[in-house]
Amino acid sequence: MGFPKDLSQERIVALITVAIFAVASVALPGFFSPDNLVAIVRSISVLGILALGMAVIIIGRGIDLSMVAIMAMSVAWYLQMLNDGMGEWRALALVLAGVLVIGLANGFLVAYAEVPAIFVTLASASFVFGLVRSQMIGSDAVPVPAGHWLGHLGGMRLADVPVEVYVFAALAFATFLFLRFTKWGRYVYYAGDNPAAARNIGMPARPMMVLRYVLSALIAFVAGLLTAGSLQSMNTRVVNSTQLYDIVLVAVIGGIGLSGGKGGVRNVLIGAALIGILLNAMTILDIPLLYQNLIKSAILLIAIIVDGVLNPRDEQTAQQGDI
């Protein structure tokens, strides 16, 4: 027996988010200050951008575990080329070509070779990290060159709001328009709901799958540029951090079903809001990072269990949708 509609995961998470925000505003000193509220939004902007790319993949019944590796290593390589004296446009063209190749390779192996996405993207993440770290950059952290536009971008504020917040909002709106109002966006839902039926009626399910992984790679590159601008460098050790799990957490806890064909931008915004508020509150409470990760892991596990209850995997799903 399914959950009643008024107890949907999206609504439950939204109510929990509001409750935590209200309690933290009253109980935690400085939480409700304008600077801290801006800090919360800024902290989830890059995570939210990555979650948008992950959401499109998951809605189409897939997963991309290479996003953080692409984000960090592509931008690190880009900065290294600039620091070595290469021209801006040549460096940008090379790194964009590399990002597109990885996205195309991921999509081709999943769509046409029919290798499970979890293995393809895990392997490509390891390959990208190893190749770039051993052959293309000289250290774990690569700085933004002095006077480069990325450095100026990181310090830019409009109405006292960091620029990455506006980029997140713009990409969220563009993703919403793509999924809601374009033929290709509807294909994402159809393919995620029933890939075999989508192919049988002539829908370009395989090319669309390739497109989704290319978009995911490009979104990861954009997130990397914003990260480098904010921190004035790119530290490749982020590949071995918990950021990938945070991306999946934002998407899943917001209500995007892992079985495919369900969810949208609103779910990403709800999930990002909850995680941003929760992490900020835990930081103010001075909860050690180890316990923060434990709490996030427990939340992700609960979200996956709830998703399994609300979006059961039927026989066709089990055959066609294994990630």
Side-chain angles (χ1 to χ4, degrees), residues 12-310:
I12 292 171
V13 172
L15 291 174
I16 292 174
T17 302
V18 172
I20 294 176
F21 182 84
V23 172
S25 298
V26 174
L28 299 180
F31 179 86
F32 197 65
S33 67
D35 288 343
N36 189 61
L37 295 179
V38 170
I40 292 174
V41 179
R42 184 176 193 178
S43 69
I44 64 173
S45 294
V46 171
L47 181 61
I49 289 170
L50 291 166
L52 288 171
M54 185 67 79
V56 173
I57 295 291
I58 293 176
I59 292 170
R61 198 177 290 190
I63 197 164
D64 189 354
L65 303 183
S66 66
M67 290 192 75
V68 175
I70 293 173
M71 176 193 79
M73 307 316 292
S74 63
V75 174
W77 179 36
Y78 170 60
L79 295 178
Q80 185 68 60
M81 288 188 288
L82 294 176
N83 285 315
D84 289 342
M86 184 178 292
E88 168 71 28
W89 292 110
R90 184 182 177 189
L92 188 59
L94 284 174
V95 74
L96 278 174
V99 168
L100 288 173
V101 166
I102 295 299
L104 286 168
N106 283 342
F108 177 83
L109 289 172
V110 174
Y112 292 95
E114 297 186 351
V115 181
I118 192 169
F119 299 124
V120 169
T121 56
L122 185 62
S124 67
S126 180
F127 173 79
V128 168
F129 176 78
L131 177 65
V132 175
R133 182 63 187 86
S134 65
Q135 303 296 321
M136 299 176 179
I137 63 176
S139 62
D140 287 331
V142 185
V144 174
H148 190 261
W149 63 268
L150 266 182
H152 300 301
L153 180 70
M156 187 181 300
R157 287 175 173 261
L158 301 174
D160 207 33
V161 176
V163 68
E164 52 260 46
V165 177
Y166 293 101
V167 175
F168 176 34
L171 286 176
F173 185 63
T175 305
F176 168 75
L177 294 178
F178 169 72
L179 290 174
R180 184 72 178 271
F181 296 107
T182 70
K183 175 178 65 176
W184 304 102
R186 290 192 293 273
Y187 285 170
V188 174
Y189 287 99
Y190 297 153
D193 185 59
N194 193 322
R199 289 196 294 269
N200 289 338
I201 64 174
M203 197 175 295
R206 297 184 194 275
M208 277 301 303
M209 190 177 295
V210 175
L211 175 62
R212 290 196 295 275
Y213 282 95
V214 170
L215 290 176
S216 176
L218 290 173
I219 288 174
F221 179 60
V222 172
L225 291 176
L226 292 172
T227 300
S230 176
L231 302 177
Q232 298 298 304
S233 69
M234 175 53 73
N235 193 330
T236 59
R237 292 181 181 178
V238 71
V239 176
N240 298 317
S241 71
T242 62
Q243 187 168 16
L244 179 61
Y245 303 102
D246 293 342
I247 297 166
V248 177
L249 176 59
V250 166
V252 175
I253 201 173
I256 294 177
L258 287 171
S259 57
K262 178 179 179 293
V265 172
R266 185 173 59 190
N267 302 96
V268 172
L269 298 179
I270 292 173
L274 174 60
I275 298 306
I277 292 169
L278 187 63
L279 291 180
N280 186 266
M282 290 192 295
T283 301
I284 293 176
L285 290 170
D286 201 24
I287 296 177
L289 184 60
L290 179 64
Y291 291 104
Q292 291 190 28
N293 290 334
L294 181 61
I295 292 170
K296 288 190 297 182
S297 299
I299 293 173
L300 178 57
L301 180 59
I302 293 170
I304 291 173
I305 293 172
V306 171
D307 174 72
V309 174
L310 297 177

